């Protein structure tokens, strides 16, 4: 059975990623890309769907115990897990070297004290656990082949096969180092080069150390900020600059429920806010790469802007269900692809324009097509901003006039007005100023509940939505506006959990309303971590800095022992839920740290 979501560590090579549990089991790995079929899919099923367990042999053969302790090596993505046993202490070093050839997952066993018996249990199942490969020897190497894929195992210890599984049993003493490497290669190509695990380890540590040295943030909670930045870098597909929302699919927002989605794609919204955080902390190369990815993905067709694309800019992300996988803790269906790709979400135009604006303001080298794209996006909005859409949360219910979508349409026009005023591009300045005013007036007239002194989720509704917390952050209204303060306080009253964290929106209209769930789905979900960070930002902006700091520190306490966050927090079960680790949680962590530092929240 898979571990709790927070029991996992992330390792990756900026093209794909693996999740390693506390007991030394790799339960998730897609090869060769984030969005490729999984070789290890035990996370969403059982051991029969693929895993790789490496750790001390347990008495009576009852499996591997959880590591006594684990950590990342400094500011890197190199994981160390240590077990203290009655025979001695052993360490396993897990990492994926940034690649210039075949993708590799390397595991080095190091004896620390005593003589510790070890077991490696490798069960490869291709196509998300559906296909059992042909496993055989080629010289001293073991290879698993099925269809277009081959995975090669290299190790210096003996291996043997039993029950369609590859085993190794060995003992390590102090100073012993035993390496295991799996490498992927298309099955029709020659075998990959022999790995050099120790060289790869040194190079991987050097890569991360040099990357982190570029970080310009030196304020409080730097460790949390840097770990979030490393996570965001790990979620970036290096060949194209595309950024996945998470490296997993179908980790549930509601354990046992149907709110299970594939996040291994590039949402324009998530990627745009990630770019913002990277720019604010000194990472201009990543921002430039994302901007180039955006221009390629959108190409000459901004009128048909999608909310998400594949990591290389693919447009077709058809959604399917994998019926042979029972799902994480019985949360079915397991989905691949994402049917929300073609939804209309008008807020995306605002996020993309804001990202391009920030890139321009921070001195990223000018790209003429980026400016042309921005004007094309606004001309589309000029005709469509007053239409209903599916909104930021991708509701699968009916379209509505979501207030956040209108606010972000205003942001798109506002930033374009500023671009024209700067003289960087020519455009109909007065017409766009008038459009900006029209959108602002429309939102304040139709999206504001005067009786309750709060903006609402959509025009004519009484429900609230945590995305309204972005109104002051986007500059739509100043923080001291009574409507802003009223909205913040209403969200605290109506959308906060007993822990003080924030729900995205009410998932149902209430038992007496006679309406279906507002998002068109059954069940509930946890507190959305990004929204909770947004609340901390807003509290700081309206002068409640101590309250903001306390909330921020409570949110930091939800991270797992390695500093990682999923999408949501389940206040009933007191555990992380949703895809993991989640860019949309780590980005606002960085932004809130920067905002609170600027507000003096951490001064003695």
């Amino acid at each position: 059975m898979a571990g709790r979501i927070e029991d996992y560590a992330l390792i990756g090579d900026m093209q794909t990623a693996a999740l390693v549990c506390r007991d030394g089991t790799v339960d998730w790995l897609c090869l060769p890309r984030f969005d490729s079929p999984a070789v290890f899919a035990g996370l969403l099923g059982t051991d029969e769907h693929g895993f790789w367990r490496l750790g001390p042999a347990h008495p009576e053969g009852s499996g591997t115990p959880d590591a006594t302790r684990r950590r990342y090596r400094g500011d890197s993505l190199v994981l160390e897990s240590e077990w203290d046993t009655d025979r001695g202490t052993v360490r396993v070093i897990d990492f994926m070297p940034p690649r210039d050839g075949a993708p590799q997952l390397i595991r080095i066993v190091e004896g620390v004290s005593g003589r510790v018996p070890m077991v490696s249990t490798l069960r490869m199942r291709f196509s998300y656990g559906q296909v059992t490969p042909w496993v055989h020897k080629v010289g001293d190497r073991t290879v698993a082949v099925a269809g277009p894929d081959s995975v090669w195992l290299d190790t210096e210890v003996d291996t043997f096969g039993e029950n369609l599984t590859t085993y190794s049993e060995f003992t390590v003493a102090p100073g012993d180092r035993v390496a295991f490497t799996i490498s992927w290669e298309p099955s029709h190509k020659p075998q990959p080069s022999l790995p050099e695990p120790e060289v790869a380890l040194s190079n991987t540590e050097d890569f991360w150390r040099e990357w982190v040295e570029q970080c310009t943030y030196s304020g409080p909670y730097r460790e949390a900020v840097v770990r979030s930045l490393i996570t965001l870098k790990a979620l970036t597909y290096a060949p194209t600059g595309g950024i996945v929302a998470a490296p997993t699919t179908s980790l549930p927002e509601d354990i046992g429920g149907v709110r299970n989605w594939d996040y291994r794609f590039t949402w324009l919204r998530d990627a745009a806010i990630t770019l913002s955080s990277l720019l604010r902390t000194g990472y201009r190369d990543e921002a430039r790469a994302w901007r180039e990815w955006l221009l390629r993905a959108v190409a000459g067709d901004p009128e048909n802007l999608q909310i998400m694309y594949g990591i290389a800019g693919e447009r077709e992300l058809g959604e399917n269900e994998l019926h042979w996988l029972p799902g994480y803790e019985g949360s079915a269906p397991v989905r691949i692809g994402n049917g929300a790709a073609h939804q209309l979400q008008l807020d995306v135009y605002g996020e993309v324009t804001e990202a391009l604006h920030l890139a321009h303001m921070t001195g990223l080298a000018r790209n003429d097509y980026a400016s042309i794209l921005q004007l094309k996006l606004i001309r589309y909005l000029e005709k469509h901003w007053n239409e209903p859409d599916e909104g930021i949360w991708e509701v699968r219910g009916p379209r509505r006039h979501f207030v956040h979508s209108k606010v972000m349409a205003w942001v798109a026009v506002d930033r374009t007005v500023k671009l024209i005023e700067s003289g960087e591009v020519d455009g109909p300045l007065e017409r766009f100023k008038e459009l900006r005013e029209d959108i602002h007036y429309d939102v304040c007239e139709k999206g504001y509940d005067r009786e309750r002194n709060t903006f609402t989720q959509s025009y004519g509704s009484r429900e609230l939505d945590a995305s309204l917390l972005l109104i002051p952050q986007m500059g739509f209204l100043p923080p001291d506006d009574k409507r802003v303060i009223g909205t913040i306080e209403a969200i605290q009253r109506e959308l906060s959990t007993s822990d003080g964290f924030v729900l995205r929106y009410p998932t149902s209209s209430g038992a007496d309303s006679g309406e279906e769930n507002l998002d068109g789905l059954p069940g509930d979900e946890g507190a959305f971590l990004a929204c909770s960070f947004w609340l901390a930002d807003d509290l700081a902006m309206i002068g409640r800095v101590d309250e903001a700091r306390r909330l921020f520190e409570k949110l930091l306490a939800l991270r797992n022992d390695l500093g990682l966050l999923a999408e949501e927090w389940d206040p009933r079960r007191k555990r992380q839920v949703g895809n993991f680790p989640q860019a949309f949680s780590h980005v606002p962590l960085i932004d809130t740290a920067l905002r609170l530092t600027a507000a003096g929240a951490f001064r003695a």
Side-chain angles (χ1 to χ4, degrees), residues 563-575:
L564 302 178
L565 287 170
E567 184 177 28
E568 300 180 7
W569 173 256
D570 187 328
R572 296 168 298 163
R573 295 180 174 90
K574 305 297 182 184
R575 56 182 294 191

Side-chain angles (χ1 to χ4, degrees), residues 421-469:
E421 288 177 333
S422 72
E424 291 291 328
V425 68
D426 292 327
L429 181 60
E430 294 306 316
R431 194 175 90 213
F432 285 171
K433 282 184 175 181
E434 184 176 341
L435 174 61
R436 180 176 62 179
E437 184 62 29
D438 288 346
I439 298 173
H440 199 279
Y441 178 82
D442 197 68
V443 171
C444 293
E445 283 296 306
K446 299 177 182 177
Y448 173 67
D449 184 335
R450 288 175 174 77
E451 180 183 338
R452 295 157 64 211
N453 186 30
T454 181
F455 286 94
T456 58
Q457 184 182 55
S458 61
Y459 288 2
S461 72
R462 289 185 60 81
E463 289 81 15
L464 300 180
D465 191 304
S467 62
L468 301 169
L469 293 168

Side-chain angles (χ1 to χ4, degrees), residues 76-105:
S76 80
L77 212 60
V78 176
L79 175 70
E80 288 188 345
S81 304
E82 293 183 348
W83 286 261
D84 295 333
T85 76
D86 56 1
R87 302 284 189 90
T89 297
V90 65
R91 178 181 301 127
V92 175
I93 304 165
D94 290 321
F95 65 101
M96 297 184 72
R99 68 172 97 152
D100 55 10
Q104 296 178 333
L105 191 164

Side-chain angles (χ1 to χ4, degrees), residues 293-455:
W293 174 91
L294 172 70
L295 299 179
R296 291 192 304 270
V298 176
D301 195 22
E303 294 80 10
N304 294 312
L305 188 74
Q306 294 185 187
I307 66 167
M308 72 181 88
Y309 296 83
I311 51 179
E314 299 90 345
R315 288 175 171 263
E316 296 304 319
L317 310 176
E319 186 172 298
N320 296 291
E321 297 179 3
L322 306 185
H323 56 82
W324 61 89
L325 287 173
Y328 179 86
E329 295 191 16
S331 305
V334 171
R335 296 182 175 94
I336 59 170
N338 200 305
H342 296 287
Q343 284 190 353
L344 176 63
Q345 294 179 22
L346 293 172
D347 69 289
V348 169
Y349 291 82
E351 274 103 13
V352 169
T353 303
E354 170 73 348
L356 294 174
H357 175 73
L358 180 63
H360 173 71
M361 295 299 293
T362 52
L364 204 62
R366 176 177 172 174
N367 183 300
D368 289 337
Y369 182 64
S371 300
I372 294 170
L373 171 63
Q374 190 168 334
L375 288 175
K376 287 185 175 182
L377 295 177
I378 301 310
R379 290 192 175 103
Y380 175 86
L381 274 181
E382 196 171 15
K383 298 176 182 177
H384 299 281
W385 71 268
N386 56 356
E387 297 176 4
D389 71 339
E390 275 90 2
I392 181 176
W393 307 127
E394 297 169 15
V395 298
R396 301 208 173 191
R399 288 183 176 181
R400 295 177 173 85
H401 290 281
F402 287 103
V403 170
H404 174 71
S405 296
K406 311 297 187 190
V407 168
M408 294 309 296
W410 177 91
V411 169
V413 180
D414 177 72
R415 303 319 189 249
T416 305
V417 166
K418 289 179 167 60
L419 180 68
I420 296 171
E421 288 177 333
S422 72
E424 291 291 328
V425 68
D426 292 327
L429 181 60
E430 294 306 316
R431 194 175 90 213
F432 285 171
K433 282 184 175 181
E434 184 176 341
L435 174 61
R436 180 176 62 179
E437 184 62 29
D438 288 346
I439 298 173
H440 199 279
Y441 178 82
D442 197 68
V443 171
C444 293
E445 283 296 306
K446 299 177 182 177
Y448 173 67
D449 184 335
R450 288 175 174 77
E451 180 183 338
R452 295 157 64 211
N453 186 30
T454 181
F455 286 94

